[in-house]
Amino acid sequence: MRSQALLLLVAVSAIAADHESLLIQNVTIHPVTSAEIKGGSVLIVDGKIAAIGTKLSARGAKVSDGKGLDLYPGLINAGSNVGLSEISSIRDTVDIDEIGVFNPQLKAEVAFNPSSEHVQIVRAAGITTVLSLPSSRGEEFSPASAVDAPILPGQGALMHLNGWTWEEMALKRGAALDMLFPIIPSVPRREQTIGGPPQRTYSELEREYKVKLEQIANFFEDARRYAHAKAAGEPDFQPDPKLEAMIPVIEGRRPILVRAGKERAIRDAIEFAEKEKVRIIIADPHDIGSTAELLAKHGIPVVLGETLTLPLKEDDAYDSQYALPGQLFKAGVKFCFGTFDVEFARNLPFQAAAASAFGLPPQDALKAVTINAAEIFGVADQIGSIEKGKLADLILTDGDPLEATTSIKAEFIAGKPVNLESRHTRLYEKWNARP
Amino acid sequence: MKRLCGLFFVCALAAMLRAEPPSSFAIRDARVVTVSGSELAKATVLVKDGMIVDVGPNLAIPADAWVIDGSGLTVYPGFINALSTWGIPEVAPAAGAASRATAAPAATPQPAATPQPRVRGPEDRPQNNSYERAADLVKPTDHRLEGIRAIGFTTSATFPNRGILAGQGALIDLAGDQGADMVVAQPIGEQINLRTGGFRSGFPGSLMGVISYVRQLYLDLDQYQQAKSIYAAHVSGTPRPEYDHYLEGLAEAPRILLPADQAQQIDRMTSFAQELKRPAVLYGMHEAFLRIDALKQANLPLLVNLHWPEKAREADPTDVPSLRELEMRANAPAVPALLTKAGVHFAFYSEGADSAADIRKQLKRAIDGGLPRADAIRALTLSAAEVYGLSDRVGSIDKGKIANLVVTKGEPFEEKTTVEYVFVDGKLFKPSKVPPASPAGERGRN
Amino acid sequence: MRTLLAFIALTCAAHAESILIRNATLLTVTKGTIQNGSVLIQDGKIAAVGTNLSAPAGATIIDASGKFLSPGLIDCHSHTAVEGSVNEGSLSDSSMVNIADVLDPSDINIYRALAGGLTVSNVLHGSANAIGGQTIVIKLRWGKPAKGLIFEGAKPGIKFALGENPKRQGYPSELFSSPAAQQRRYPGTRLGVEDEIREDFTQAKIYQTRWKLYNEDRAKGVHPIPPRRDLRLEPLVEVLEGKRYVHAHSYRADEILALIRTADDMGFKIRTFQHVLEGYKVAKEIAAHGAGASTFSDWYGYKYEVIDATPYNAAIMTRKGVVVSLNSDSDELQRHLNWDAAKMVRYGGLTPDQALAMVTINPAKQLGIEDKVGSIEIGKSADLVLYDKHPLSNYSKVLKVWIDGHPYFDLDQDLKDRITLADRKKDLIAKEKAEEDTAKKKADTERRAVDKKEGKLPQEGAL
């Protein structure tokens, strides 16, 4: 079990150094984008998948026996704060949710801590790439929004969970512009308390919401004016980092990852995208209402948050959140999964599996944590499946990686073997040995 | 008509015609609904010195009596609000404020410059106003009184409603020269509110905290009373019990009022009342339609809140209420009818924030919900008196009772009905017929 | 039944119907796995377990071929079904409050938990103070009133809390600078938390003695003034007398050990440590004391005192002889404790039965109810869950749940109830809207009438 994995890993790392080739033999390959291959082999050269098949020759590569285990692409968590937050209740260790309403120039990767415990812990679950975002879950889950709540907290980066520096780990910088779409918070039911602040009315909250939508429109117009002025090339042009960061967005090269929990926000976000002619990805929706068809029609992909959440309303079906991914699938919406946190980022595969119990075909659950994420964020040429030419982001398991009972035996990121130890395993070893 | 001269407290609000108090009246040949017995199709009610002297057909009318022609009119006992703050001016929402002001009365602590000392537990008696008496607080200058007399209310079981142990109530008549004149009986009970200051506040900060606090207080009261009687029998050498004015306040009250709106709260308070071993009254009852049998079994006096649950005015239009909320809104007004069908007595109350117009509409809804009008009247009169053990002096038109009467043209609570006369403690009031001014802004003119 | 109508107390108190669940894979937990097994339920209890059982006359037969039957799941740390705050955090010791006073049987999360196979919950006070309130064990009998939820015969408990949470309100005053804030509340350090518990039990012993002396006096014929009954100290006396279980929220190894020593000194036992994320460091001491450990499967990283959390915690403690359960402390997680248990196969290599035991027989043992629930054995309550796949598979789904032999959750019925509920809501909303429209029309008509009377013209565009 654990000791087996260790042995295998030691064997593999002893063999494969940075520039050597590695042939993993005798595995059941699950490419994801094509049928599984029993008794298969994968040849890794220069960090990439050079060949896949059943009878590959070693061609000088070191050979490793996969012992009939399963080989999958490394999993992708498409929404997290890994690297940016260590202990959520200790602000000193947290680097998300910067002050300011519009901060599109902030970049998640520059504060990504490669030595964060979470890096090792999360990859031990078979997750090789994460999208690190500069904000927490968004207004829906934080205390009542103030007028100065962040709307564009910065850019998210796709990070490999292996490397000496964040530079080495950054697979795609500026992978998306993070956006927290404004909401109209629910007016809470009055409780039986003595005293307490006066309640805000719905009309007040709605007005504030509309003001924020106006602010967004104005900011995007500022960005277009800036791009226009820059293109004119006048010598007295004044650069502005904030607006500079908006150029790829308005030119359609950088999508906006829009956090929109409820139906109204989703509709308004789609409308906003049409008006501003920008590409959006909807993130962490919980109440899609009838927007699934609209999303499919506009080809807007979705990053789903945790499947395992409570229904929003008392009368909702008990499995309303469990069944959400299945509903999107049936409607033809393309989606992947993220956890939008750090402490449970490693449980991404179980979120996908839970959706399968409630209507998402298991094969598509696997796609949603691999190839779909890669395609949605424009890195499908590099990761997301086991295909020739892609990076060797691979995990070796004793079964389905979406099952909690499965063990991850070995892992490769960009062809390099990755140590599956972590603070958690080291504590295990140390204290198991206490007499 | 004799004019009482001398010390008069002149009412500042002139809109209501306040009659000089002749002491003798006769309402002749009216339909009289006594409530205590059968209706009298044509009878006379004689009033003198604030009391009902006699009621019946073909009575001899004293020479000095001011005769009111009752043909086409109906006389009812004056309506009683079974739990409110009426008569306590400080609690009333500001005159002219929207009638939908919340019913939560003031109990906010003054903000201090330095941190507040922490409450150490039940022994510090937080939020405890058990000794406060409504009888000491009522004044005839409460601006609400005029409007509610105009729809036929003559009496109220008034409570200060402050804090958790919210004070002792008094049955008051809704007019008088000064507060003391208004008091009919006191103390009639101790109101208990299960309110907390929330997580960040001092003890109690939770519902379970409040419940344990009340439980502890009554245990303390038992011990206090035991201690006092043992001490009284053996003063010499016995440590004396500490004076506790909160417990003195609790001891005075002949019954406690416990709040219960939702079904599980009704269950909880029914058990709690049994546990405390004190005569108890449950007030609220909006989800009682789920507990009719249990309430019949429990056999506790009940007060039904006329302020029916309704859709919030400022609701998010995309928000769909829960089924439970919808059921409550739909079925709460039918609670009175269901209780009546099951033979369970109850009285109506309106805490004090609703306008007279609102109350009339709320009563109408109960009738539309299936409550026979006669039972609605009873719930506003004799049943309320019975809850407080005062049916020997108010609540029906009987010889010897206090002269609280309302005389209408038409069935009560219907829109077209007018209230012609109201007698409070035998003083005559004639509600103004001038229609109210149209509220500013509704017309949008000029 | 899903609708509010289910809220009326069900008239069938003890479900007398016989049920035969046939041909499932039985995960008994204590007596291995039985393929093609059947269970006979009679009078709310498991009457027979085996292969080839026959159904008595009139029994309902449930064909469970291809399906899996497990004991009802048990959650040792819950805050579901509580009305109002779960914390009375205003005092350092709030043992006078009782969760049983505020049970809310209408909490929809009871139903949602049932739909995930949960049948029993240990409902606890929060962790805002060193000694919190009294706790209670309930069965998730959705539809019954509060009294009907109580697990008869389960010993009541009391909640303690160690570590960061109970000392927060004692931090230095710059954290309490607002005028409305209160004074700091002792304790503000772990030193004080340990002390607080000792002080409270010292007071409890004094109280115990005071009443003993009073009763002795009365027996002698003397009638002194009785002592004041103190609802705060009485539960602590019950702990000393072994009549009430202590469930202690704890994280760090040092505070776990310190509480064991306090308990030894004061003469009481800790029944369970809750969360106990560093329990693996002092597993030996926990086992020696005889306490159980109810922990998370894999929580970490949310505050400093969990810095040494590891998902291997449960496995280490198990191997060192501690009875370990996995709990939820969450309305959401309680809906899939089976999936949490599955993680124990990955983290520490426990067997499927060991993993499943952590959410069935082990919490039953910790709560002292293992004679009644926690496994599929003859004589125990028929608390059972039917799954379409093995419950430790992340792809499994709950189909039916029985408590005391009564079906409290049925997926097919749930699907039907959704339609009923939606229809009922539609009707009520339509009715309300119709009433609103009528009232509005009437108000408009009246206003026009008054306008007319006053000789004023109607508003431009008015209805």
Side-chain angles (χ1 to χ4, degrees):
Chain A
M1 285 176 279
R2 250 208 85 260
S3 45
Q4 261 188 8
L6 193 53
L7 233 54
L8 180 61
L9 181 63
V10 164
V12 167
S13 14
I15 294 169
D18 277 3
H19 301 291
E20 286 190 2
S21 311
L22 174 67
L23 178 71
I24 305 172
Q25 274 182 342
N26 190 16
V27 283
T28 304
I29 305 172
H30 304 265
V32 172
T33 45
S34 54
E36 75 177 38
I37 302 167
K38 281 197 157 49
S41 305
V42 171
L43 178 66
I44 303 171
V45 177
D46 282 341
K48 293 199 175 141
I49 298 168
I52 307 167
T54 45
K55 286 177 170 42
L56 294 186
S57 66
R59 296 185 222 160
K62 298 294 174 186
V63 177
S64 171
D65 179 10
K67 301 192 196 317
L69 295 170
D70 294 281
L71 193 71
Y72 286 85
L75 309 180
I76 304 168
N77 186 329
S80 79
N81 299 125
V82 173
L84 293 174
S85 174
E86 203 60 27
I87 296 176
S88 49
S89 69
I90 303 178
R91 188 65 201 168
D92 287 339
T93 71
V94 174
D95 287 303
I96 55 177
D97 298 328
E98 181 56 85
I99 300 169
V101 181
F102 296 109
N103 275 321
Q105 77 286 7
L106 299 182
K107 300 180 286 291
E109 65 271 19
V110 307
F112 186 101
N113 181 4
S115 307
S116 161
E117 301 283 6
H118 298 292
V119 169
Q120 293 188 319
I121 289 168
V122 171
R123 74 189 187 190
I127 296 163
T128 50
T129 305
V130 299
L131 178 69
S132 277
L133 294 169
S135 68
S136 57
R137 302 197 73 140
E139 284 187 38
E140 212 88 60
F141 298 92
S142 357
S145 56
V147 187
D148 52 359
I151 292 176
L152 295 180
Q155 301 164 30
L158 279 168
M159 308 294 287
H160 264 152
L161 291 182
N162 189 37
W164 295 102
T165 66
W166 58 258
E167 234 171 16
E168 287 181 11
M169 295 164 88
L171 181 64
K172 183 170 187 180
R173 304 176 64 170
L177 175 62
D178 196 5
M179 180 176 191
L180 304 174
F181 206 80
I183 59 160
I184 307 176
S186 323
V187 178
R189 178 177 265 275
R190 173 166 283 279
E191 290 197 357
Q192 285 276 50
T193 53
I194 301 170
Q199 276 193 306
R200 324 256 333 266
T201 62
Y202 174 75
S203 7
E204 271 173 30
L205 296 168
E206 194 192 18
R207 201 189 151 272
E208 268 175 30
Y209 171 73
K210 293 198 170 128
V211 165
K212 285 188 190 181
L213 292 185
E214 257 179 24
Q215 285 175 344
I216 295 171
N218 290 342
F219 186 75
F220 273 71
E221 183 168 320
D222 288 349
R224 282 192 293 274
R225 278 174 35 211
Y226 177 85
H228 175 83
K230 182 179 182 194
E234 294 297 322
D236 63 346
F237 170 76
Q238 286 176 343
D240 176 317
K242 262 203 231 282
L243 298 176
E244 191 71 39
M246 289 299 290
I247 293 179
V249 178
I250 59 183
E251 290 179 353
R253 288 179 280 116
R254 176 176 299 150
I256 309 179
L257 186 68
V258 183
R259 226 73 74 87
K262 294 200 178 154
E263 180 174 356
R264 176 165 46 201
I266 298 172
R267 282 189 191 283
D268 288 347
I270 297 174
E271 202 179 297
F272 145 82
E274 298 216 324
K275 184 162 146 274
E276 303 291 347
K277 297 191 184 33
V278 290
R279 262 207 299 145
I280 62 168
I281 303 163
I282 295 290
D284 206 10
H286 285 284
D287 157 36
I288 58 172
S290 47
T291 56
E293 285 75 35
L294 197 57
L295 290 166
K297 184 165 133 226
H298 290 268
I300 295 173
V302 172
V303 180
L304 285 167
E306 288 179 328
T307 309
L308 298 172
T309 51
L310 286 172
L312 297 180
K313 298 286 208 70
E314 181 174 322
D315 294 334
D316 286 348
Y318 81 92
D319 62 354
S320 63
Q321 297 301 310
Y322 295 167
L324 188 51
Q327 285 166 13
L328 284 180
F329 176 75
K330 279 194 194 66
V333 176
K334 185 175 204 137
F335 60 89
C336 57
F337 283 97
T339 54
F340 298 97
D341 73 342
V342 67
E343 293 110 23
F344 295 104
R346 66 172 160 191
N347 289 341
L348 171 90
F350 312 146
Q351 302 289 347
S356 281
F358 290 86
L360 178 64
Q363 263 309 104
D364 297 283
L366 180 60
K367 285 197 181 139
V369 292
T370 52
I371 190 65
N372 287 3
E375 285 173 353
I376 288 169
F377 287 96
V379 291
D381 55 334
Q382 299 185 70
I383 58 171
S385 56
I386 305 182
E387 289 184 61
K388 184 169 160 183
K390 290 199 180 183
L391 292 172
D393 283 5
L394 304 165
I395 54 174
L396 200 62
T397 69
D398 64 0
D400 179 351
L402 305 193
E403 288 272 31
T405 48
T406 299
S407 290
I408 313 293
K409 300 291 194 187
E411 186 165 314
F412 298 84
I413 294 180
K416 294 197 196 108
V418 159
N419 188 335
L420 291 178
E421 286 182 7
S422 68
R423 187 186 184 88
H424 292 177
T425 60
R426 287 188 288 272
L427 286 166
Y428 178 35
E429 279 167 47
K430 174 175 173 184
W431 290 91
N432 216 14
R434 181 191 174 202
Chain B
M1 187 175 30
K2 258 176 133 175
R3 206 177 244 280
L4 288 172
C5 57
L7 314 154
F8 253 55
F9 181 84
V10 180
C11 195
L13 306 166
M16 176 86 126
L17 299 175
R18 185 161 183 267
E20 298 281 318
S23 65
S24 181
F25 293 91
I27 307 164
R28 188 175 57 193
D29 293 343
R31 170 172 161 249
V32 178
V33 176
T34 62
V35 176
S36 55
S38 35
E39 272 187 30
L40 305 170
K42 191 162 139 182
T44 298
V45 182
L46 293 178
V47 170
K48 189 180 170 80
D49 292 332
M51 312 284 276
I52 298 170
V53 170
D54 205 352
V55 54
N58 303 319
L59 292 183
I61 295 175
D64 67 340
W66 179 255
V67 178
I68 291 169
D69 179 13
S71 43
L73 304 179
T74 313
V75 189
Y76 298 90
F79 303 137
I80 306 174
N81 186 343
L83 169 60
S84 87
T85 55
W86 285 349
I88 304 179
E90 289 78 31
V91 186
S99 68
R100 284 305 301 113
T102 63
T108 35
Q110 274 76 39
T114 53
Q116 313 267 359
R118 267 191 187 263
V119 170
R120 292 165 302 166
E123 60 270 27
D124 283 349
R125 312 288 188 234
Q127 295 290 337
N128 193 329
N129 300 304
S130 59
Y131 49 86
E132 236 180 44
R133 296 175 175 178
D136 297 334
L137 302 173
V138 295
K139 291 193 180 63
T141 50
D142 183 342
H143 69 85
R144 297 173 287 182
L145 298 183
E146 183 188 331
I148 54 188
R149 281 191 304 252
I151 60 166
F153 279 87
T154 59
T155 312
S156 163
T158 291
F159 288 77
N161 197 0
R162 279 200 334 121
I164 294 169
L165 285 304
Q168 297 173 34
L171 193 76
I172 62 163
D173 281 340
L174 300 177
D177 292 340
Q178 51 201 352
D181 296 343
M182 300 163 75
V183 179
V184 172
Q186 80 86 36
I188 58 174
E190 179 76 37
Q191 183 183 6
I192 296 178
N193 284 319
L194 296 179
R195 276 201 222 112
T196 77
F199 180 64
R200 297 248 166 265
S201 77
F203 179 85
S206 64
L207 178 60
M208 55 186 171
V210 181
I211 292 174
S212 71
Y213 174 37
V214 173
R215 178 182 287 135
Q216 179 70 68
L217 283 171
Y218 280 96
L219 285 174
D220 287 352
L221 179 59
D222 282 342
Q223 191 264 358
Y224 187 66
Q225 288 169 330
Q226 275 189 286
K228 284 207 287 186
S229 68
I230 292 174
Y231 182 71
H234 313 273
V235 172
S236 173
T238 312
R240 67 183 185 284
E242 257 177 43
Y243 170 69
D244 187 332
H245 91 135
Y246 301 94
L247 295 182
E248 297 282 353
L250 283 184
E252 281 180 5
R255 61 185 60 79
I256 56 177
L257 278 66
L258 297 169
D261 252 335
Q262 297 184 328
Q264 80 277 4
Q265 293 169 347
I266 293 173
D267 294 337
R268 188 180 294 138
M269 286 299 107
T270 306
S271 305
F272 198 42
Q274 285 168 7
E275 184 198 323
L276 294 178
K277 297 198 197 52
R278 296 198 133 67
V281 176
L282 301 187
Y283 67 95
M285 295 295 121
H286 281 167
E287 228 177 29
F289 54 91
L290 294 176
R291 288 289 185 272
I292 301 290
D293 289 338
L295 287 169
K296 190 170 168 77
Q297 289 245 326
N299 201 23
L300 292 169
L302 306 177
L303 304 183
V304 177
N305 189 350
L306 280 170
H307 187 82
W308 309 117
E310 52 185 31
K311 188 156 110 174
R313 298 283 161 96
E314 268 292 324
D316 183 339
T318 62
D319 225 15
V320 178
S322 68
L323 177 62
R324 186 175 193 181
E325 176 73 27
L326 291 168
E327 296 274 15
M328 263 226 276
R329 288 190 211 158
N331 294 315
V335 162
L338 292 168
L339 288 172
T340 303
K341 257 195 222 64
V344 180
H345 281 301
F346 64 92
F348 279 128
Y349 76 98
S350 171
E351 267 182 311
D354 288 324
S355 71
D358 288 336
I359 294 172
R360 195 193 51 71
K361 284 192 203 119
Q362 289 158 354
L363 285 163
K364 179 85 169 59
R365 279 192 75 187
I367 293 172
D368 293 340
L371 180 65
R373 197 179 305 274
D375 294 294
I377 306 283
R378 194 187 202 288
L380 278 178
T381 54
L382 195 53
S383 294
E386 284 167 348
V387 167
Y388 295 107
L390 299 171
S391 53
D392 53 351
R393 59 203 87 167
V394 290
S396 61
I397 305 181
D398 285 306
K399 184 169 164 172
K401 287 201 172 173
I402 297 171
N404 289 334
L405 306 164
V406 51
V407 186
T408 66
K409 186 190 274 181
E411 297 288 356
F413 324 128
E414 294 300 327
E415 277 184 60
K416 301 272 193 295
T417 300
T418 52
V419 173
E420 300 292 318
Y421 306 97
V422 177
F423 286 83
V424 180
D425 263 325
K427 288 184 214 42
L428 173 62
F429 291 87
K430 273 168 86 166
S432 164
K433 295 283 165 73
V434 177
S438 53
E442 205 180 287
R443 302 293 175 116
R445 269 173 261 266
N446 5 287
Chain C
M1 278 166 284
R2 175 73 174 70
T3 63
L4 191 57
L5 299 171
F7 203 57
I8 301 165
L10 301 170
T11 47
C12 38
H15 201 81
E17 187 192 333
S18 297
I19 304 173
L20 180 70
I21 304 167
R22 202 158 58 186
N23 207 20
T25 304
L26 303 182
L27 305 170
T28 68
V29 177
T30 48
K31 304 242 185 326
T33 300
I34 301 175
Q35 303 291 344
N36 306 111
S38 301
V39 172
L40 176 66
I41 301 173
Q42 276 180 326
D43 291 327
K45 292 216 165 40
I46 296 170
V49 177
T51 52
N52 291 322
L53 295 186
S54 54
T60 307
I61 300 182
I62 303 207
D63 178 15
S65 314
K67 303 192 169 84
F68 293 75
L69 195 71
S70 87
L73 305 184
I74 300 173
D75 186 1
C76 221
H77 193 118
S78 165
H79 300 298
T80 303
V82 173
E83 188 165 336
S85 175
V86 303
N87 264 310
E88 181 54 65
S90 56
L91 309 173
S92 312
D93 167 11
S94 64
S95 40
M96 74 287 276
V97 311
N98 195 340
I99 289 283
D101 280 337
V102 291
L103 278 181
D104 181 1
S106 68
D107 183 352
I108 191 63
N109 286 306
I110 297 173
Y111 182 77
R112 292 169 178 165
L114 259 180
L118 193 65
T119 53
V120 175
S121 288
N122 187 24
V123 187
L124 300 177
H125 182 279
S127 56
N129 38 14
I131 298 186
Q134 300 162 48
T135 70
I136 189 162
V137 181
I138 64 169
K139 283 200 167 192
L140 276 62
R141 300 183 184 112
W142 176 248
K144 294 221 182 264
K147 283 204 172 73
L149 296 182
I150 297 175
F151 193 125
E152 315 85 343
K155 212 176 259 198
I158 185 166
K159 178 80 176 299
F160 286 13
L162 311 175
E164 289 175 17
N165 294 12
K167 63 177 181 140
R168 220 168 263 136
Q169 292 190 52
Y171 287 176
S173 44
E174 63 258 17
L175 301 176
F176 290 85
S177 52
S178 85
Q182 298 181 78
Q183 280 175 347
R184 298 165 67 182
R185 183 202 71 183
Y186 181 86
T189 68
R190 284 182 168 84
L191 305 175
V193 172
E194 195 262 10
D195 171 55
E196 174 71 38
I197 295 172
R198 282 182 187 271
E199 303 241 11
D200 293 327
F201 274 89
T202 304
Q203 288 164 20
K205 290 190 175 186
I206 294 170
Y207 182 81
Q208 198 180 27
T209 306
R210 194 181 296 145
W211 275 93
K212 182 159 150 285
L213 294 175
Y214 169 75
N215 288 325
E216 282 170 6
D217 278 345
R218 289 207 58 188
K220 281 188 238 154
V222 183
H223 293 279
I225 291 173
R228 183 178 152 269
R229 280 196 55 196
D230 190 334
L231 295 177
R232 180 177 71 90
L233 296 175
E234 288 180 4
L236 302 184
V237 171
E238 287 172 342
V239 168
L240 290 168
E241 293 173 349
K243 296 185 184 142
R244 185 174 288 278
Y245 287 149
V246 171
H247 299 296
H249 156 124
S250 49
Y251 282 103
R252 274 217 330 233
D254 50 285
E255 69 206 16
I256 294 166
L257 183 61
L259 186 65
I260 291 174
R261 299 302 174 228
T262 300
D264 291 340
D265 288 349
M266 305 305 283
F268 66 88
K269 281 285 182 210
I270 301 148
R271 185 72 184 180
T272 68
F273 283 100
Q274 299 278 331
H275 310 324
V276 62
L277 292 191
E278 284 192 11
Y280 64 93
K281 296 183 181 176
V282 284
K284 188 166 76 169
E285 286 81 357
I286 296 174
H289 182 80
S294 188
T295 187
F296 294 126
S297 60
D298 64 356
W299 291 31
Y300 79 104
Y302 48 104
K303 45 180 169 158
Y304 195 78
E305 62 188 348
V306 310
I307 195 147
D308 274 1
T310 171
Y312 297 89
N313 183 27
I316 298 175
M317 288 197 289
T318 299
R319 293 194 177 111
K320 306 239 179 211
V322 180
V323 175
V324 180
S325 68
L326 296 178
N327 67 48
S328 77
D329 194 5
S330 152
D331 284 340
E332 206 294 309
L333 179 47
Q334 69 182 355
R335 310 194 293 157
H336 42 87
L337 282 174
N338 52 317
W339 291 341
D340 239 35
K343 293 173 183 170
M344 296 299 103
V345 175
R346 174 185 289 209
Y347 297 122
L350 295 184
T351 67
D353 265 350
Q354 279 178 311
L356 202 51
M358 291 197 171
V359 294
T360 52
I361 193 65
N362 286 4
K365 285 181 183 161
Q366 292 172 346
L367 298 174
I369 50 179
E370 73 273 29
D371 55 332
K372 299 191 174 72
V373 292
S375 58
I376 304 182
E377 291 184 66
I378 293 172
K380 290 202 177 179
S381 296
D383 290 5
L384 302 161
V385 186
L386 190 66
Y387 293 89
D388 65 343
K389 299 186 174 58
H390 194 293
L392 297 186
S393 162
N394 284 58
Y395 299 108
S396 65
K397 198 159 155 178
V398 171
L399 302 173
K400 286 192 208 298
V401 180
W402 293 267
I403 299 180
D404 302 323
H406 179 89
Y408 278 91
F409 173 77
D410 182 317
L411 182 55
D412 294 330
Q413 185 61 45
D414 179 273
L415 295 172
K416 293 195 191 108
D417 287 343
R418 294 181 200 189
I419 301 171
T420 314
L421 187 148
D423 287 343
R424 176 94 183 116
K425 275 182 93 157
K426 239 173 50 202
D427 284 342
L428 288 171
I429 291 171
K431 220 166 112 198
E432 234 182 33
K433 179 119 196 348
E435 280 169 16
E436 260 174 54
D437 290 344
T438 315
K440 188 171 183 302
K441 267 207 200 81
K442 199 158 140 219
D444 286 344
T445 315
E446 277 171 4
R447 200 182 47 194
R448 266 180 289 141
V450 175
D451 285 355
K452 208 167 151 197
K453 202 160 133 203
E454 292 178 358
K456 291 174 177 161
L457 294 165
Q459 268 267 306
E460 188 79 37
L463 235 189

